[in-house]
Amino acid sequence: MLGISRQIDAASGAGDIRRCIMEYVYSFRDGIDDRLLMGNKGANLVSMTKLGFPVPPGFIITIKAYERWRETGSIPDGAIEKAMVELEKEMGKKLGEGLEVSVRSSGATSMPGMMDTLLNLGDMDEVKVAVRQIFGSWDNPRAVEYRRLNRISSQLGTAAIVQAMVYGNRDDDSGTGVIFTRNPATGETGLYGEYLVNAQGEDIVSGSRTPEPIDTLSMAMPKVYSELEAMAARLERHYCEMQDIEFTIESGRLYLLQTRSGKRTGNAAVRIAVEMIDEGLITGEEAIMRVSVDELRSLLHKQIQEPVTQRPLAKGLNAAPGAASGVVVFDAPEAVVQSRKGKAAILVRPETSPDDIQGIAAAAGVLTQKGGLTSHAAVVTRAMGKPCICGAEGIDIDLRKKTVHIDGLEIKEGDVVTIDGTTGLVYQGELPLQESTITTYLKDLMSVADGFKRLGVRANADTPDMIEQSLAFGAEGIGLCRTERMFNAPERLFAIREFILADNQEERFRAVERLRELQTMDFKELFKVLNGAPIIIRLLDLPLHEFLPPEKDVTDPKMRQRIEELQEINPMLGHRGVRVAVTTPEIYQMQIDAIETALAEVPANVSVMVPQVITSQEARAVKRMLKNSHLKFGVMMETVRACMRAGRLAEVVDFFSFGTNDLTQAVYSFSREDAEKRFLSTYLSHGILRDNPFEFLDVKGVGRLMETAIFWGRRVKQDIEIGVCGEQAGEPRSITYLHHIGVDYVSCSPFRVPIAKLVAAKAAIRARVYHTKGDGHERAQQPAVAR
Amino acid sequence: MLGISRQIDAASGAGDIRRCIMEYVYSFRDGIDDRLLMGNKGANLVSMTKLGFPVPPGFIITIKAYERWRETGSIPDGAIEKAMVELEKEMGKKLGEGLEVSVRSSGATSMPGMMDTLLNLGDMDEVKVAVRQIFGSWDNPRAVEYRRLNRISSQLGTAAIVQAMVYGNRDDDSGTGVIFTRNPATGETGLYGEYLVNAQGEDIVSGSRTPEPIDTLSMAMPKVYSELEAMAARLERHYCEMQDIEFTIESGRLYLLQTRSGKRTGNAAVRIAVEMIDEGLITGEEAIMRVSVDELRSLLHKQIQEPVTQRPLAKGLNAAPGAASGVVVFDAPEAVVQSRKGKAAILVRPETSPDDIQGIAAAAGVLTQKGGLTSHAAVVTRAMGKPCICGAEGIDIDLRKKTVHIDGLEIKEGDVVTIDGTTGLVYQGELPLQESTITTYLKDLMSVADGFKRLGVRANADTPDMIEQSLAFGAEGIGLCRTERMFNAPERLFAIREFILADNQEERFRAVERLRELQTMDFKELFKVLNGAPIIIRLLDLPLHEFLPPEKDVTDPKMRQRIEELQEINPMLGHRGVRVAVTTPEIYQMQIDAIETALAEVPANVSVMVPQVITSQEARAVKRMLKNSHLKFGVMMETVRACMRAGRLAEVVDFFSFGTNDLTQAVYSFSREDAEKRFLSTYLSHGILRDNPFEFLDVKGVGRLMETAIFWGRRVKQDIEIGVCGEQAGEPRSITYLHHIGVDYVSCSPFRVPIAKLVAAKAAIRARVYHTKGDGHERAQQPAVAR
């Protein structure tokens, strides 16, 4: 999405000027490279024609003409006829007398397969009817739904392209195909694609015949293949982007019908971006701007846990990577039904069509019997970042009985399967999935991002394992290490309960001593794996009663009584965090001692953080417990009062870390669990709130408060470090905002670290571009990948 | 306190100049009227001497000398001797040869009885020792404690007064006494006081002999009495304040030893202030500044008739002022039963909960074993204006036996006790009480206050009775009328439960219809008693589950299920207020319809207010329910987000009303009840918080947020009305602050209305004085009443 809207912004300024001189119809030779007028496909045909590529001649009835048609119902007849006369002249044939034309749509943004195409028209009236049909198809339900899903404006409109037909089905020296200049699944360099001998393009798209891999063309028609290879390379260099090219061979002569930026998997997007930098095709900034968050997210998708011992049932094309388990469904509506029930569904179809869009969106993955890597199912799922296997010819679907036979096994609707879109393998039942790992290309891209971004990216991790994983995912440190878990293993739970139930100072002391030993060990384990990365340890946040068992499970009268005493009406706003340290300093003192003891044995870059602070006096009280002056000391900014008193707090601490979960609850007076259970969905569906503030940081309320706190914090202590460790710290839109308000780092879940880095780099680059407008960074007139 | 600090401020400017020319010792004749140098008593003696009153001669060793003594340990010997020589000359007698002197302290502020006094000194060395003793006594433990309690600075220091002795015990034509220029208990004009024939002042103070009323002096020594009467009148006119005068008669000759502003009861303070305006002695501003909040508070509640001779049984926290006698009851229903029988009941509970509301309403007073000044019992009783003692830990309640053990005594249900919520003391049996009424003098003082104050003062009232009471106490309208109570009578509770449990739209509709009729009647009753005063009705704030019985009391499975469904983890932050209106609009629509219907029959000045708002979209949704354009529409500002979005909200509403209770909870992330039960007392005792933010508005957190909201609200809608209806709106320090940040009105419990008016007038006057410095308003050099 970012890519598109940025380029629309960039193009529209120029477009406004051009619109003043534009007309209704342009030949490919006279057209201009403006996709807001020519449409996307039209602009490409114009520029290919001008670059001298063998494009069958034709003309474009512009978006301006479409707009007039929408307003008045009339199309510019005279202009079309005039253009047709010129086309006839160029072709040396009359319409209907050896010359046929196709009429296609050319929207300002690509909507593959959503609109109509008419072929083999040989009469002027047919052409005029076809143009009206194309214009009308902009508002067909499929296209409307596609635009809604992809947030494309309905105002953009479409042009119509009239183009001389060339025939891939003329003879056995003819054919048609689709190639990518690189592998759209992996990003590998070299032509990738398919072709069919003696066939039209529609034969490939519909999946009615199974095409052959493109390299077989080098044997069948070596000269054509070399031409194609050279043209592909030239087009890629021209657009500085991987191209998706449609071609037709008519009796040994090569024609290019279309070129556009090719859709690709996340893995491919990353590899292509990185390699294009090396090839000198694009800059680092462009690489960062081109890889979308959704692409990155898709490649951070889950995989089947290695080693996989189970025998696969079937194999198809690995059309979209990632793995998913779910119940088998045989039509799109059923996928929606299951998804509403909260069930993951695998949509199994002979092939998919644009009518299935909603079902694909609702499904966890797609499996088709027919169709290749460029079939509808493949393209759509890749864009959505969902696993997909296409062309699994070994499966036999019976749509009426709602069964599929695979490898002698009958699978019914509701049975569970697992698909692996990375390998193309289908398995029976639910296989354990694991999070993805980081490729070299991703690492390289992250290094590029690191070079641009200003915002630090850390991870939330509580265990040595999670710390290792965080660092592997590129985290620059641990921004939030919660210590609650350390109390939850049985031995510790026993000790903390002893502490809570202690009758006298001595019992209390003994319990604390035990905890101190255990926590010291814990901290040493954590420090060992850090490898120099900084870690921020949050002292205990939970109220003590959370460590006691549920009252109903307790018979011991003393424990029952204590549980009753500790019960709270609003635990979220109760006796927790630093409040426990004020009334019972022993636990924080124990935690701090344990950190300091561990640190003496295992050196590390450690900060200590105090939760739930409302006044600098609390921070001072805890700070007095520190003995080691090397420990950095900070507070969670998760109460409104802490934000209002940021100046005072800054006098006491080295850093602030905003806890946007609790802060949002306090700003809204919403208990998150209660809100989500009771009323938040109504708020969203009635449009009273635009977004769930627990997912997207609420800029106007919570954000403004944070800005105030940052202002006062920095005013008092210029170099105070400012972090954010709520859940929204991993959400792209929120990260962009946090970059802009001058936060030093975000801390999110390990798996979100690469996304956070990419978003942070994009934000930094975009800010720079805005500040140095017209420096030529926005050179591409065609859209980047449209997500 | 206010009076003092104001005058210190006023005096210190002048004092700085004078200090440049001051010396260590001054005779009464040569002294200057500066109590920061001469001390309070010294300055009075100087001015009395200069006015020609018969003051025994003497001199003052100044506070400057005290400061030198404190630094160096030396006192200005030569100067004292020089002054003594002059005194001997004036008296015509040598020290020790017919001349004896007293040495007394003269602090910059009065600390009656706290420091030493030495009499009958006849030797220069004794005098010097005495002066050192006086200086040293500034730091005796009694004085230090007194200053701490009364927040008097230790830096002020004391002067020492050396004065020729006169002897009230010389013969039967001698005597000594103390008079007030008006009755300090009632404020009645005319001399009031006591004297003893043939005695020294110490004989009166020590209580060793019982003095006679002053009017008997008119028989015994008519000439002296007339002199005294004339002098008293002259002193009062001079100081424009009721005087407390010490005198001695030595062989028929009258001497004045001291004069100062006299302490008085609240009733007297009010009457004196009002009458002195009439007498032309003081201005209205001065009258307002002189009557203290505590004085006013003391006269607004029933009191135990003085003197109280009976020993109290127990002491707790003085949670809500006033006194009550009644039969002891141990549960809320029994309080209702007794009240129906016309018997006053004292509800004695370990602590109270919202379930006890009706019992508290029915009781004459409440006594709890647990809970602090902001516990449920305390808050509710204060709002109701009923006496309450909380946290009386010395009592031992047995709810099963229905007994309470206090101080070794067993008190059973039905036994009579008297509680004094002003002092926190519990007495056995029925003690005679005296009523507080709104006296003519108080009404007059309130009219004076109304003339100065800018801040409007309204009351919180939910019933016709409370509205009438509010108006009687001077409220200018009802700033908060809660509608919760309307659902709590049995018939309504039944209907609202029907609504909550309804299975279909029809059942729901029927339940709402029943509620509509009942509420329409309620509103008509309210409107009838308003007499033109405005009323702000708050729509339902409670979550629906509050209207269902406790789960343990329910057997009906449907109701049990619904109760479970509606349970919340943090009800304070849950599905309540406008959030219920978003998901279930019927109830707000019903309430608005009922208000509009009632209004059509009984015209009134009505505003509708929406609680718990976080976004203008909620306000818009409720505003659409209004049919009557005459209704003013506003929102409670009680979430942080509402404050952050005040500009947007101002577009939708006519007024804001800050709910500072909930707002404080949100800003602190404190659940009030949990905080007060668990940790707030530790926060206060450790000095981590200076004040309980639920009693005193937190200026630095909550206040700043309110200021921001007011700024943006007014920026968008200049004439938006801004009120405050939290509990702090009745607390004097908070009211002063609210005046300064430009709030239009506060709304507090009816009983606090006169106090709020007084404070608001003081704030307005003080602001004016600061702005027109030196306009002569601060003419009194002696302190106003030191409270």
Side-chain angles (χ1 to χ4, degrees), chain A residues 571-705:
Chain A
M572 157 79 202
L573 306 178
H575 194 185
R576 56 184 291 217
V578 70
R579 294 162 209 160
V580 176
V582 168
T583 56
T584 318
E586 291 95 328
I587 293 180
Y588 272 26
Q589 185 66 66
M590 175 277 288
Q591 290 197 298
I592 289 171
D593 291 349
I595 291 168
E596 292 183 338
T597 307
L599 204 51
E601 294 184 39
V602 186
N605 179 352
V606 179
S607 303
V608 168
M609 179 161 76
V610 186
Q612 303 296 338
V613 164
I614 56 148
T615 160
S616 59
Q617 296 303 323
E618 293 167 323
R620 280 181 210 280
V622 178
K623 199 176 180 180
R624 279 194 289 270
M625 298 179 183
L626 303 181
K627 290 179 199 73
N628 181 331
S629 61
H630 295 305
L631 279 179
K632 275 197 282 183
F633 182 74
V635 286
M636 291 283 283
M637 302 292 275
E638 56 187 341
T639 69
V640 174
R641 199 167 190 280
C643 295
M644 299 305 287
R645 303 298 291 150
R648 271 301 166 92
L649 280 167
E651 294 170 3
V652 187
V653 302
D654 304 309
F655 65 92
F656 290 162
S657 182
F658 286 95
T660 49
N661 296 350
D662 277 10
L663 194 55
T664 301
Q665 300 195 71
V667 167
Y668 278 75
S669 288
F670 281 6
S671 161
R672 179 173 183 167
E673 283 160 291
D674 296 327
E676 289 182 341
K677 201 161 148 196
R678 302 237 175 284
F679 57 84
L680 200 51
S681 61
T682 311
Y683 267 68
L684 294 169
S685 67
H686 286 31
I688 288 177
L689 288 177
R690 206 170 297 170
D691 296 302
N692 179 345
F694 298 110
E695 282 179 37
F696 298 90
L697 186 74
D698 161 42
V699 168
K700 294 173 179 174
V702 179
R704 294 285 173 270
L705 198 61

Side-chain angles (χ1 to χ4, degrees), chain A residues 196-504:
Chain A
L196 266 174
V197 172
N198 203 351
Q200 288 285 64
E202 278 53 40
D203 298 323
I204 293 188
V205 174
S206 71
S208 62
R209 286 170 53 192
T210 300
E212 301 193 43
I214 194 67
D215 50 356
T216 60
L217 184 66
S218 65
M219 257 85 80
M221 305 184 205
K223 191 175 143 280
V224 171
Y225 185 81
S226 312
E227 272 176 38
L228 186 61
E229 214 172 24
M231 286 178 192
R234 205 177 139 214
L235 279 169
E236 194 184 84
R237 273 202 309 282
H238 176 71
Y239 288 113
C240 298
E241 206 7 331
M242 178 188 91
Q243 295 297 300
D244 166 355
I245 302 164
E246 287 175 25
F247 67 91
T248 288
I249 307 161
E250 189 185 70
S251 305
R253 190 167 166 201
L254 177 65
Y255 292 95
L256 302 190
L257 301 188
Q258 179 166 325
T259 190
R260 57 183 171 190
S261 297
K263 305 228 177 208
R264 66 208 83 180
T265 64
N267 267 316
V270 169
R271 178 167 173 176
I272 291 168
V274 167
E275 291 191 338
M276 280 192 173
I277 302 175
D278 293 343
E279 293 163 19
L281 285 180
I282 58 173
T283 63
E285 284 100 324
E286 283 170 321
I288 293 296
M289 295 315 286
R290 267 192 200 172
V291 177
S292 75
V293 167
D294 285 344
E295 283 167 343
L296 200 52
R297 193 176 281 144
S298 79
L299 92 119
L300 295 169
H301 267 171
K302 287 180 179 169
Q303 296 166 354
I304 298 178
Q305 239 172 52
E306 302 283 353
V308 188
T309 49
Q310 193 176 320
R311 204 176 62 82
L313 293 178
K315 187 171 185 346
L317 301 171
N318 50 345
S325 298
V327 294
V328 166
V329 299
F330 292 101
D331 54 53
E334 185 60 25
V336 175
V337 167
Q338 293 300 330
S339 143
R340 290 218 177 112
K341 284 192 203 155
K343 277 201 175 174
I346 305 295
L347 178 62
V348 179
R349 297 283 302 165
E351 58 193 322
T352 65
S353 76
D355 295 334
D356 298 322
I357 280 281
Q358 281 188 299
I360 297 172
V366 177
L367 167 61
T368 70
Q369 188 179 0
K370 298 182 204 165
L373 286 171
T374 53
S375 66
H376 179 264
V379 171
V380 171
T381 51
R382 275 206 294 276
M384 288 181 179
K386 274 180 210 289
C388 174
I389 299 173
C390 283
E393 312 244 348
I395 72 174
D396 183 10
I397 303 172
D398 186 329
L399 288 178
R400 253 179 319 172
K401 288 196 192 155
K402 302 213 169 183
T403 60
V404 52
H405 283 83
I406 315 183
D407 200 19
L409 195 76
E410 182 180 274
I411 291 174
K412 290 190 287 290
E413 189 163 74
D415 289 351
V416 174
V417 298
T418 298
I419 62 170
D420 185 345
T422 315
T423 58
L425 297 172
V426 185
Y427 299 90
Q428 187 179 12
E430 185 173 349
L431 267 63
L433 304 181
Q434 64 179 28
E435 297 294 341
S436 65
T437 52
I438 301 290
T439 65
T440 326
Y441 299 109
L442 180 55
K443 268 194 192 148
D444 290 348
L445 187 74
M446 289 297 105
S447 301
V448 176
D450 288 346
F452 293 111
K453 74 185 180 57
R454 191 191 48 66
L455 196 66
V457 178
R458 304 185 184 180
N460 306 340
D462 307 338
T463 63
D465 282 358
M466 281 183 81
I467 291 177
E468 284 180 329
Q469 197 168 32
S470 300
L471 299 178
F473 273 79
E476 296 150 3
I478 303 306
L480 173 63
C481 174
R482 287 167 286 242
T483 54
E484 274 67 24
R485 143 200 95 78
M486 297 186 182
F487 294 93
N488 271 329
E491 191 183 3
R492 292 103 191 271
L493 208 50
F494 181 78
I496 184 86
R497 284 180 186 169
E498 287 268 299
F499 177 84
I500 297 168
L501 299 173
D503 281 326
N504 54 54

Side-chain angles (χ1 to χ4, degrees), chain B residues 242-253:
Chain B
M242 178 187 90
Q243 295 296 300
D244 166 355
I245 301 164
E246 286 175 25
F247 66 91
T248 288
I249 307 162
E250 187 186 72
S251 304
R253 190 169 165 196

Side-chain angles (χ1 to χ4, degrees), chain A residues 495-530:
Chain A
I496 184 86
R497 284 180 186 169
E498 287 268 299
F499 177 84
I500 297 168
L501 299 173
D503 281 326
N504 54 54
Q505 196 53 42
E506 201 190 324
E507 277 180 36
R508 235 163 138 102
F509 181 77
R510 271 207 311 272
V512 165
E513 279 312 298
R514 232 175 352 261
L515 286 167
R516 188 195 315 271
E517 278 168 37
L518 295 165
Q519 292 225 330
T520 305
M521 275 163 44
D522 286 340
F523 286 125
K524 281 197 281 193
E525 294 306 313
L526 292 178
F527 297 170
K528 275 177 196 162
V529 297
L530 276 167

Side-chain angles (χ1 to χ4, degrees), chain B residues 349-420:
Chain B
R349 298 280 305 165
E351 58 194 320
T352 67
S353 77
D355 297 335
D356 299 323
I357 281 282
Q358 283 186 299
I360 296 172
V366 176
L367 167 62
T368 72
Q369 187 178 359
K370 297 182 201 163
L373 285 173
T374 53
S375 63
H376 178 264
V379 171
V380 170
T381 51
R382 274 204 293 275
M384 290 180 177
K386 273 179 211 291
C388 174
I389 298 173
C390 283
E393 312 247 345
I395 73 174
D396 184 10
I397 303 173
D398 188 328
L399 288 178
R400 254 177 319 171
K401 289 192 189 155
K402 303 215 169 182
T403 60
V404 51
H405 284 85
I406 314 183
D407 199 22
L409 194 75
E410 182 179 275
I411 292 175
K412 289 190 287 288
E413 189 164 76
D415 291 352
V416 174
V417 296
T418 299
I419 62 170
D420 185 345

Side-chain angles (χ1 to χ4, degrees), chain B residues 9 393 395 710 731:
Chain B
D9 289 350
E393 312 247 345
I395 73 174
I710 292 172
E731 190 282 315

Side-chain angles (χ1 to χ4, degrees), chain A residues 565-567 569-573 579 614 618 641 645 667-671 674 678 683 698 700, chain B residues 565-567 569-573 579 614 618 641 645 667-671 674 678 683 698 700:
Chain A
E565 281 169 11
L566 290 174
Q567 249 162 19
I569 302 166
N570 295 290
M572 157 79 202
L573 306 178
R579 294 162 209 160
I614 56 148
E618 293 167 323
R641 199 167 190 280
R645 303 298 291 150
V667 167
Y668 278 75
S669 288
F670 281 6
S671 161
D674 296 327
R678 302 237 175 284
Y683 267 68
D698 161 42
K700 294 173 179 174
Chain B
E565 281 169 11
L566 289 174
Q567 250 162 18
I569 302 167
N570 296 290
M572 157 79 202
L573 307 178
R579 295 163 207 160
I614 56 148
E618 294 167 323
R641 199 165 190 283
R645 303 298 291 149
V667 167
Y668 278 75
S669 288
F670 282 5
S671 161
D674 296 327
R678 303 237 174 283
Y683 267 68
D698 162 41
K700 294 172 180 177

